Amino acid sequence: MPPRQFDGSRVRAVRRQRDMHQKELGKMVGVSGPTIARWESGQDFPKGEKLPVIASALRQPLDELFPHEGPPDLQLLRCDAGLSVAEAAAIIRTSRAPVSNAESGRRRLNDNYVRPLAAAYGVTEDELLSAQDRSFGIRPTSLRDDQETAPRTIGEKINFLLQYGPTGQKTLSDAEIARLVNHYAPAAVVTTEDIVHLREGTATEASDEVRDGLAHAFQVPPWLFGDDAELTPLVREFLEAIRFIGSIHQGQVLGLAARGNSEGLTVEMMAGINRLVGELRHKLPEVQDEE
């Protein structure tokens, strides 16, 4: 699940509505005025555990100022409680490793850690365990939004990729998709009409050559066009990454708040995402000096 969205221009606008200086907000949050200035200009982003403090200082609901999609995972629960990984680890009297491993989907929490962490995060034990499942890529099959939005058929995946990515690729026409598939295959295996039928759902079957050709046309791994009646966590993660990067390019996401966990989004991942965010910076108001 994507982290909470951070829009520095929104923070600046709310701060000014409160007649609050950057230095004053920084003091309430525990950082310097120049740090607030960098956050507001998009040059830097706060750690996830800072977002509740910022929202409280600006007297704004957390979900309104920093929205996020879907139910929380372990990282979001911790950050919304205003706790760093080290602080959460101190609560269960252990090193950072158990908290980091659980949040990154590598090793589940020891049963003895569930109750104290749930209390620290302000949730029930069941809610904490459900969040842990989401950190491991497990989604309840009863969630309608999960079932309805995940592309499963070949046509749904074609339409998904046409809408969201791959990043930087021009939108392909049905004829162009068919041409690319046939160019990759050993012989002509699909027509423009076949692609239309797949996208419209009137056809759902395709040969292995067509599936491989579609993966080549959209520049995605071949397994993405495999038979996926039940999407694996790997496929879901890949599709969500495409959706998220596509949302950045469409201007729907203006920034990310790192969650303060070195085992979550890596420096390289944040750098790549923030590079894309930087391409949208011209949409933000001009940055002004401290008032």
Side-chain angles (χ1 to χ4, degrees):
M1 182 195 69
R4 288 189 178 275
Q5 300 173 20
F6 180 83
D7 184 351
S9 63
R10 169 65 175 162
V11 172
R12 180 173 58 236
V14 175
R15 173 179 61 79
R16 289 176 175 174
Q17 290 174 0
R18 300 294 183 192
D19 293 324
M20 185 183 297
H21 293 277
Q22 290 173 338
K23 183 177 180 180
E24 181 182 357
L25 177 59
K27 185 176 181 180
M28 298 175 70
V29 175
V31 298
S32 66
T35 296
I36 297 294
R38 289 196 299 273
W39 291 349
E40 292 182 350
S41 67
Q43 296 176 344
D44 199 1
F45 301 98
K47 292 182 177 180
E49 61 263 28
K50 288 290 186 183
L51 300 188
V53 185
I54 297 171
S56 177
L58 294 174
R59 290 180 285 172
Q60 291 286 306
L62 179 61
D63 286 335
E64 291 184 14
L65 189 60
F66 307 118
H68 74 94
E69 295 182 1
D73 59 9
L74 283 177
Q75 284 183 322
L76 194 60
L77 286 185
R78 172 180 58 76
C79 290
D80 284 0
L83 298 172
S84 67
V85 173
E87 289 169 335
I91 291 171
I92 55 178
R93 299 180 180 180
T94 186
S95 68
R96 294 163 49 104
V99 176
S100 296
N101 287 338
E103 290 185 358
S104 58
R106 288 202 302 271
R107 183 176 299 173
R108 290 181 176 272
L109 292 167
N110 184 293
D111 290 343
N112 295 328
Y113 299 153
V114 172
R115 177 173 294 181
L117 280 182
Y121 295 170
V123 297
T124 66
E125 293 180 36
D126 285 342
E127 288 172 333
L128 185 86
L129 292 174
S130 294
Q132 179 172 237
D133 283 344
R134 287 185 282 273
S135 292
F136 279 76
I138 301 173
R139 299 293 190 272
T141 56
S142 60
L143 289 178
R144 291 186 59 190
D145 59 342
D146 191 49
Q147 293 296 311
E148 293 173 356
T149 62
R152 295 174 181 273
T153 67
I154 297 177
E156 288 173 348
K157 291 173 182 176
I158 292 174
N159 291 329
F160 181 93
L161 291 169
L162 286 173
Q163 179 178 1
Y164 290 107
T167 301
Q169 179 172 296
K170 67 178 181 179
T171 301
L172 299 174
S173 66
D174 295 322
E176 183 66 7
I177 295 172
R179 186 190 70 79
L180 290 171
V181 170
N182 289 327
H183 179 75
Y184 183 76
V189 294
V190 72
T191 66
T192 299
E193 187 176 43
D194 291 333
I195 298 298
V196 172
H197 288 324
L198 286 172
R199 287 200 307 101
E200 292 179 348
T202 54
T204 58
E205 298 297 327
S207 66
D208 291 340
E209 290 82 3
V210 171
R211 292 173 184 272
D212 290 343
L214 286 169
H216 172 74
F218 285 101
Q219 301 176 22
V220 296
W223 46 256
L224 183 63
F225 279 99
D227 292 320
D228 294 316
E230 293 295 332
L231 297 183
T232 65
L234 176 62
V235 174
R236 289 187 184 280
E237 181 179 358
F238 185 82
L239 292 174
E240 283 304 316
I242 291 177
R243 190 200 306 270
F244 183 59
I245 298 299
S247 297
I248 290 177
H249 271 267
Q250 294 167 19
Q252 297 171 1
V253 178
L254 297 180
L256 281 179
R259 290 178 175 177
N261 177 9
S262 60
E263 302 298 335
L265 292 178
T266 65
V267 173
E268 291 77 15
M269 291 171 66
M270 287 296 297
I273 293 173
N274 287 330
R275 173 180 57 79
L276 297 176
V277 172
E279 297 175 10
L280 302 173
R281 201 164 289 161
H282 67 279
K283 297 184 178 182
L284 301 177
E286 290 294 325
V287 179
Q288 299 183 12
D289 295 333
E290 172 73 27
E291 297 175 343

